[in-house]
Amino acid sequence: VTSRRTLAAVAAKWLSVCTFALLVYYALFRLPFRFPLRQQLMSPSYAYGFNNGGAIILTAAFLGAVALLDLLRRRKAIEGPIGFPREGIVATRSLRVTLTILVVCYVALTFAMYLYDINSAPWLMWETRHLLHRAWLMDLYGLRPYTELSAEYGPIITYAPSWMFRLLRPLGASHEQAYFASYLVLSLAGLWCIYYVLSRAQMPVPSRLVALVMLATAGFTPYMGINGALVRYLFPFASLLLGHRILASKFFRQQNITSWGGAVIVVLLLLGGNILLSPEIGVAFALGWFGYAVLTSRGEARILVVSVIAFVATALLCWLFLPPAYYGTFLRFSEGANNLPFLPAPHLLFYILTLFLIVPPVLAVSLREPRSGDIPGAAICGALGILCVIMAAGALGRCDPPHVLLYGMGASMLLMIRLANISRRGFSAYAVAYAVVFILFIEISNLAVFYGIGPKVVFSPHPFTNVVHRLWSASGTDHLDAATLSVLDRYPRLGVPFASLGDPAVERYVITSGKLDPEYYVFIVGVYNAAALERKLQDVGKMEYILVPGHLASWGGPDPCVGYLQDIRQWFLYPAKLPCRAEPLNPMMALRGFIADHYTPVDQMGSWTVLRRVSAGSTPPTATGRGP
């Protein structure tokens, strides 16, 4: 009878879990198609009628519901699922040695990617060329980001290549070298964030080493550009823990003016650092820290008061020194720009499972009275859980594998800490799955997207030989010689509306010779709505001469829905079949059509075409890209 009751209880438990999983699957992968976006955007989600905002809200609601059920089921105080002892650094010599080895590997791999980029200019490194073009406009043409030049990230990321160039210029460094050096510095800062959190977490030493290696290996993503450097996504977690440890120290528990002022400065610096990395990162840290302050107010209200003062001071400083346009990208992405619809691909399923395994336990334990009486310790669990939920908005918007990896890295790190303390087998299984999904799967996806090397080639009888052969045949760019480039000297100024799509040597020659006619947007990056497209076309319409790759100097281009679907299949490695439900904004086709209507070819230089505006008094361009 006892065994039957046990079996029935187990069956009922698994039945409830499966029912809940099916409900979550329907709510996240199917229900958002019933509530399509209304505003026309450049967004695959808009084209296929998927509402990412609704899916993100539903994800947060389900996570909160599971946390509430856990809280109601176990009301008694228990120890937190993750712990950060107060004794100081828990790092061992083996962890420091591992960190040193990873730093050396990062340096070597970054240098190798630099050589690969300047010699081959692969499509994999397109983001690098786009960001380098922006750095040139800032350094050589004096354009200010956010107001005179489109920039989608915080000042730390935006200005890093320029600052590094000024630092290394006495040594003869180029802009390319300065860019990769700045990427390396920011990536090493992110690597330190991983080390900082893991070194202070309570977990077995072998698991700590495995977690550090796994996260560092997956996080080396130079193809994402400097905006994909680890520090952007991991500094909020490290700064939450750092602020917690500082304010929990004996000095900041003293009741004097120095202690109060120091606490305000600490919170202000941490919040300001996150805001300067990227606007959405600043919002995520602010909400996470505010949750920490509220949770600690059960035992110490001073941190909440200090936090409110620091928040007000930070808001005032942002109003004084950051232009309103800085927050424009955050608002456009919150509307659904450039989002991808959810599909049951490995990276999304794995990430959502990660959220459900880590967020509800840390939220629930933060609301209970801790058994040890350590209210700040419980509060930091809740704050980290809140941060995971807010960061999920970035992962589940542009939900391709790299964005899910980077925005979800903090949640994965916390789950590794939790599993290491409760189940060695569970930790091992998760670490293996993490390597398969966020290292192997992503690299296979990159091969398909950037080189056209599908899974069939990767899993062929001789995968290494076949992949290397395809990579070698895909690399290599024939640059135009100096004599050919000198043809451009006859033109006073040249616009490059498709910047970063052509031969980098040609674009570099135009820019460094002072002939570039600059514009606000680089190519169509950031052109997500009709107003942005209108500004892009207005800027191009003011140029007398433009230089474009020959195949883009005419009307044409694939149906955006067809192109989106092909990209999704390659990114997700999933046989998606999505019907097109709306016509998305198509900046690429609009720009090509506008050029075909308002410009005529006057010169040919290799694969490039020089075009001249038909007449100085032509009708101002419109967002449709069509002439009168």
Side-chain angles (χ1 to χ4, degrees):
V1 173
T2 302
S3 61
R4 288 180 180 177
R5 290 178 178 176
T6 303
L7 183 62
V10 172
K13 179 180 179 180
W14 279 105
L15 179 61
S16 62
V17 170
C18 293
T19 302
F20 180 76
L22 291 175
L23 178 62
V24 171
Y25 177 86
Y26 174 78
L28 300 188
F29 292 91
R30 293 291 180 264
L31 187 60
F33 281 107
R34 297 183 177 272
F35 305 95
L37 299 173
R38 300 299 180 187
Q39 181 182 359
Q40 187 186 36
L41 299 166
M42 195 214 69
S43 172
S45 289
Y46 173 82
Y48 301 119
F50 188 88
N51 192 322
N52 290 73
I56 293 168
I57 293 173
L58 287 172
T59 301
F62 276 114
L63 292 171
V66 176
L68 182 61
L69 289 175
D70 190 3
L71 182 65
L72 295 176
R73 186 182 57 178
R74 296 184 294 183
R75 297 184 179 183
K76 295 183 179 179
I78 60 173
E79 294 297 331
I82 53 176
F84 301 95
R86 293 184 179 181
E87 292 77 32
I89 296 179
V90 191
T92 59
R93 182 176 180 274
S94 58
L95 186 65
R96 292 190 292 270
V97 170
T98 303
L99 176 66
T100 303
I101 294 174
L102 290 172
V103 169
V104 173
C105 290
Y106 266 44
V107 173
L109 290 173
T110 302
F111 182 68
M113 294 304 295
Y114 160 73
L115 295 177
Y116 180 50
D117 180 63
I118 62 173
N119 288 292
S120 299
W123 183 240
L124 174 69
M125 302 299 288
W126 169 82
E127 192 75 32
T128 296
R129 295 197 291 277
H130 153 64
L131 295 170
L132 269 174
H133 186 93
R134 188 181 65 191
W136 276 325
L137 292 180
M138 293 169 57
D139 292 345
L140 302 181
Y141 292 81
L143 297 185
R144 293 176 297 179
Y146 312 118
T147 56
E148 299 175 334
L149 175 66
S150 174
E152 299 185 281
Y153 315 105
I156 291 178
I157 295 174
T158 300
Y159 284 97
S162 298
W163 292 335
M164 187 63 68
F165 177 70
R166 294 172 186 174
L167 180 64
L168 299 179
R169 182 164 50 184
L171 301 177
S174 64
H175 271 92
E176 290 89 345
Q177 292 167 340
Y179 169 86
F180 278 93
S182 59
Y183 171 81
L184 175 63
V185 171
L186 293 179
S187 294
L188 292 180
L191 187 61
W192 175 86
C193 291
I194 301 175
Y195 169 81
Y196 178 78
V197 175
L198 292 178
S199 66
R200 283 149 179 81
Q202 183 177 352
M203 62 188 303
V205 173
S207 301
R208 203 190 314 269
L209 297 177
V210 172
L212 178 61
V213 172
M214 286 293 165
L215 294 169
T217 303
F220 184 75
T221 55
Y223 53 87
M224 289 292 289
I226 196 172
N227 49 283
L230 281 177
V231 67
R232 176 183 174 190
Y233 309 93
L234 291 170
F235 185 66
F237 293 89
S239 54
L240 259 180
L241 182 58
L242 178 62
H244 158 69
R245 294 182 64 85
I246 292 176
L247 297 190
S249 65
K250 294 181 179 180
F251 172 76
F252 282 99
R253 288 202 298 267
Q254 299 175 5
Q255 298 294 333
N256 54 54
I257 296 178
T258 303
S259 176
W260 279 78
V264 171
I265 292 174
V266 167
V267 178
L268 189 149
L269 290 176
L270 294 176
L271 179 58
N274 281 278
I275 292 175
L276 292 177
L277 277 172
S278 197
E280 85 283 0
I281 298 300
V283 171
F285 175 80
L287 293 176
W289 183 264
F290 187 75
Y292 171 77
V294 171
L295 290 171
T296 54
S297 64
R298 294 175 296 177
E300 174 59 79
R302 187 166 64 102
I303 294 180
L304 180 58
V305 175
V306 163
S307 300
V308 171
I309 296 173
F311 277 35
V312 172
T314 304
L316 179 60
L317 291 173
C318 290
W319 178 72
L320 290 174
F321 295 104
L322 290 177
Y326 172 59
Y327 306 100
T329 301
F330 174 74
L331 297 176
R332 288 193 293 272
F333 281 122
S334 65
E335 294 173 347
N338 210 24
N339 283 350
L340 294 172
F342 284 15
L343 293 172
H347 67 288
L348 271 175
L349 294 175
F350 185 77
Y351 173 63
I352 292 171
L353 176 62
T354 298
L355 290 178
F356 277 96
L357 290 178
I358 187 59
V359 172
V362 295
L363 290 181
V365 77
S366 67
L367 298 175
R368 298 189 186 98
E369 190 70 26
R371 180 184 300 174
S372 60
D374 183 14
I375 292 178
I380 191 62
C381 288
L384 291 171
I386 294 172
L387 184 55
C388 289
V389 175
I390 305 302
M391 294 290 282
L396 301 178
R398 180 70 182 179
C399 54
D400 56 3
H403 282 85
V404 173
L405 158 69
L406 294 171
Y407 278 105
M409 188 167 287
S412 296
M413 177 171 58
L414 296 178
L415 183 55
M416 288 183 185
I417 295 173
R418 183 194 180 200
L419 292 176
N421 292 321
I422 62 176
S423 172
R424 186 173 63 180
R425 291 183 179 179
F427 173 84
S428 300
Y430 185 82
V432 171
Y434 187 86
V436 170
V437 173
F438 285 133
I439 298 177
L440 180 62
F441 173 81
I442 282 186
E443 296 309 323
I444 294 176
S445 175
N446 285 337
L447 290 175
V449 172
F450 297 109
Y451 298 98
I453 302 175
K456 291 183 179 180
V457 177
V458 176
F459 296 105
S460 62
H462 304 285
F464 182 78
T465 303
N466 292 334
V467 170
V468 170
H469 174 71
R470 294 286 292 272
L471 287 175
W472 183 264
S473 60
S475 63
T477 299
D478 295 328
H479 300 297
L480 298 179
D481 56 26
T484 305
L485 290 173
S486 64
V487 173
L488 299 176
D489 294 341
R490 70 182 67 167
Y491 301 102
R493 304 280 278 185
L494 286 163
V496 187
F498 297 100
S500 71
L501 285 191
D503 182 358
V506 176
E507 296 181 10
R508 185 187 302 110
Y509 182 85
V510 173
I511 295 171
T512 56
S513 62
K515 293 183 174 297
L516 181 69
D517 198 352
E519 54 184 313
Y520 181 75
Y521 289 104
V522 179
F523 181 37
I524 56 171
V525 177
V527 182
Y528 299 134
N529 55 31
L533 178 57
E534 188 75 23
R535 181 168 186 174
K536 170 69 178 181
L537 298 182
Q538 290 282 356
D539 283 351
V540 174
K542 297 175 183 177
M543 303 171 181
E544 183 177 1
Y545 294 97
I546 59 174
L547 179 66
V548 303
H551 66 284
L552 298 177
S554 61
W555 268 103
D559 183 330
C561 284
V562 175
Y564 284 157
L565 192 59
Q566 181 180 359
D567 291 341
I568 290 173
R569 288 173 177 172
Q570 292 179 328
W571 275 120
F572 288 41
L573 297 181
Y574 184 87
K577 296 180 180 180
L578 299 173
C580 194
R581 300 175 61 182
E583 183 179 353
L585 193 72
N586 192 345
M588 185 68 169
M589 186 174 294
L591 179 58
R592 293 181 64 177
F594 175 79
I595 291 174
D597 287 343
H598 293 82
Y599 286 82
T600 183
V602 296
D603 206 345
Q604 191 74 25
M605 190 191 64
S607 62
W608 291 79
T609 301
V610 179
L611 300 102
R612 184 176 187 179
R613 194 174 58 222
V614 175
S615 65
S618 60
T619 302
T622 63
T624 63
R626 298 294 300 179

